């Protein structure tokens, strides 16, 4: 079974935290329609979606990826780097516990956001410098070591999270918009993409990837590589430094 955690956006979404962008108006109604389209796209690709209860008092709660790192049957509950986001994790933990996942946690004083964690083929890259610190990365490494994972710290200074800068294609090639990547040489196979949002893909299984609709040049690049692209409009979430990866947590 393929399942994905999602979390409905709340009425305070326009108050979400910003680090690298200037604030611009967010249309809450449009954001909800876009979120529903995102969830529908997952379901159309065979994913069962599991909703974490909404948190209307937490503006950023829709970005559910930041609350947990899932590796196999282990759910490592994060300790977000922004104090205002720490209330988001309890509901994610409760849902995953009910689904039968083993639970571990990042403990104070360490911090870790799930958006700073990129996994592929037994390697786990962790972005340091923004919301995640060395202690949080070390704790994650300790939790994942018994499962054979190798954790590699990566500097992040130009964007909010590591996965704001880079994600990985199904074959392990890491893609990123080069002006926003601190060190492309970190990855043996790095593919620069022409648009910022082209750096963000969600692997749907097989040759299918989910990405934002506002990166047509990157989409064409992926399709030339034989990938099947599912594109969704997430413009309102991009105004809050969000991307397609932020809006779900894939469970396998």
């Amino acid at each position: 079974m393929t399942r994905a955690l999602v979390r409905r956006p709340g009425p305070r979404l326009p108050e979400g935290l910003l680090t690298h962008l200037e604030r611009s108006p967010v249309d809450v109604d449009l954001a909800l329609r876009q979120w529903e389209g995102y969830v529908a796209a997952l379901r159309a690709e065979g994913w069962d979606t599991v909703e974490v209860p909404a948190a209307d008092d937490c503006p950023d709660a829709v970005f559910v990826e930041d609350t947990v790192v899932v590796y196999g049957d282990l759910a490592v509950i994060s300790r977000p780097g922004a104090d205002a986001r720490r209330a988001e994790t309890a509901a994610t933990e409760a849902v995953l516990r009910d689904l039968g996942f083993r639970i571990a946690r990042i403990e104070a004083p360490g911090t870790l956001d799930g958006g700073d964690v990129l996994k592929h083929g037994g390697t786990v890259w962790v972005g340091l410098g923004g919301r995640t610190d060395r202690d949080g990365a070390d704790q994650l490494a300790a939790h994942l070591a018994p499962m054979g994972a190798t954790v590699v710290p990566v500097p992040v200074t130009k964007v909010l999270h590591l996965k704001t800068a880079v994600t990985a294609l199904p074959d392990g090639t890491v893609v990123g918009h080069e002006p926003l990547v601190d060190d492309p040489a970190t990855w043996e196979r790095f593919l620069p993409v022409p648009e910022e949002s082209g750096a963000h893909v969600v692997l749907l299984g097989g040759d299918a990837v989910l990405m934002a609709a506002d990166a047509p040049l990157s989409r064409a690049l992926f399709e030339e590589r034989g990938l099947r692209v599912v594109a969704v409009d997430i413009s309102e979430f991009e105004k809050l430094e969000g991307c397609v990866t932020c809006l779900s947590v894939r469970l396998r």
Side-chain angles (χ1 to χ4, degrees):
M1 180 181 296
T2 51
R3 295 177 293 191
L5 294 186
V6 294
R7 196 171 203 174
R8 190 173 298 269
R12 295 182 59 190
L13 178 68
E15 302 170 37
L17 299 174
L18 287 173
T19 304
H20 295 273
L21 296 181
E22 295 293 328
R23 192 170 297 279
S24 58
V26 173
D27 184 327
V28 175
D29 292 334
L30 176 56
L32 178 58
R33 292 196 298 273
Q34 290 178 346
W35 179 83
E36 290 171 341
Y38 177 96
V39 171
L42 290 177
R43 291 175 177 166
E45 292 296 317
W47 291 79
D48 290 331
T49 55
V50 179
E51 274 199 52
V52 176
D56 287 351
D57 289 335
C58 298
D60 289 293
V62 67
F63 302 123
V64 66
E65 176 186 48
D66 291 323
T67 61
V68 66
V69 176
V70 174
Y71 198 92
D73 68 341
L74 178 67
V76 182
I77 305 302
S78 72
R79 185 170 182 269
D83 290 351
R85 298 200 60 189
R86 292 184 185 155
E88 298 174 24
T89 63
T92 297
E93 177 176 344
V95 169
L96 289 169
R97 190 182 298 279
D98 287 346
L99 290 175
F101 283 83
R102 295 186 295 121
I103 301 294
R105 298 181 188 83
I106 303 299
E107 303 287 357
T111 62
L112 183 137
D113 278 17
D116 275 318
V117 180
L118 175 62
K119 303 171 290 182
H120 198 281
T123 301
V124 179
W125 294 275
V126 179
L128 302 181
R131 299 278 178 84
T132 297
D133 64 15
R134 174 70 68 167
D135 185 8
D138 288 346
Q139 289 185 48
L140 181 66
H143 289 311
L144 300 187
M147 306 179 74
T150 300
V151 170
V152 179
V154 179
V156 175
T157 63
K158 301 178 180 181
V159 291
L160 176 60
H161 290 128
L162 176 62
K163 288 172 72 176
T164 314
V166 296
T167 53
L169 299 179
D171 68 357
T173 299
V174 171
V175 297
H177 185 52
E178 206 156 5
L180 299 180
V181 181
D182 282 80
D183 185 10
T186 297
W187 297 278
E188 290 184 11
R189 290 185 293 168
F190 177 82
L191 176 67
V193 295
E195 297 130 326
E196 182 176 344
S197 59
H200 314 137
V201 298
V202 175
L203 305 187
L204 297 173
D207 61 356
V209 297
L210 179 74
M211 65 179 293
D214 63 349
L217 298 177
S218 301
R219 174 177 183 163
L221 185 64
F222 298 153
E223 289 176 338
E224 288 171 4
R225 296 173 67 95
L227 297 175
R228 182 171 61 84
V229 174
V230 177
V232 293
D233 183 5
I234 58 163
S235 62
E236 300 311 289
F237 302 106
E238 290 174 331
K239 294 175 182 178
L240 295 165
E241 297 177 291
C243 59
V244 288
T245 65
C246 306
L247 296 171
S248 62
V249 178
R250 289 163 302 140
L251 313 174
R252 297 185 186 272

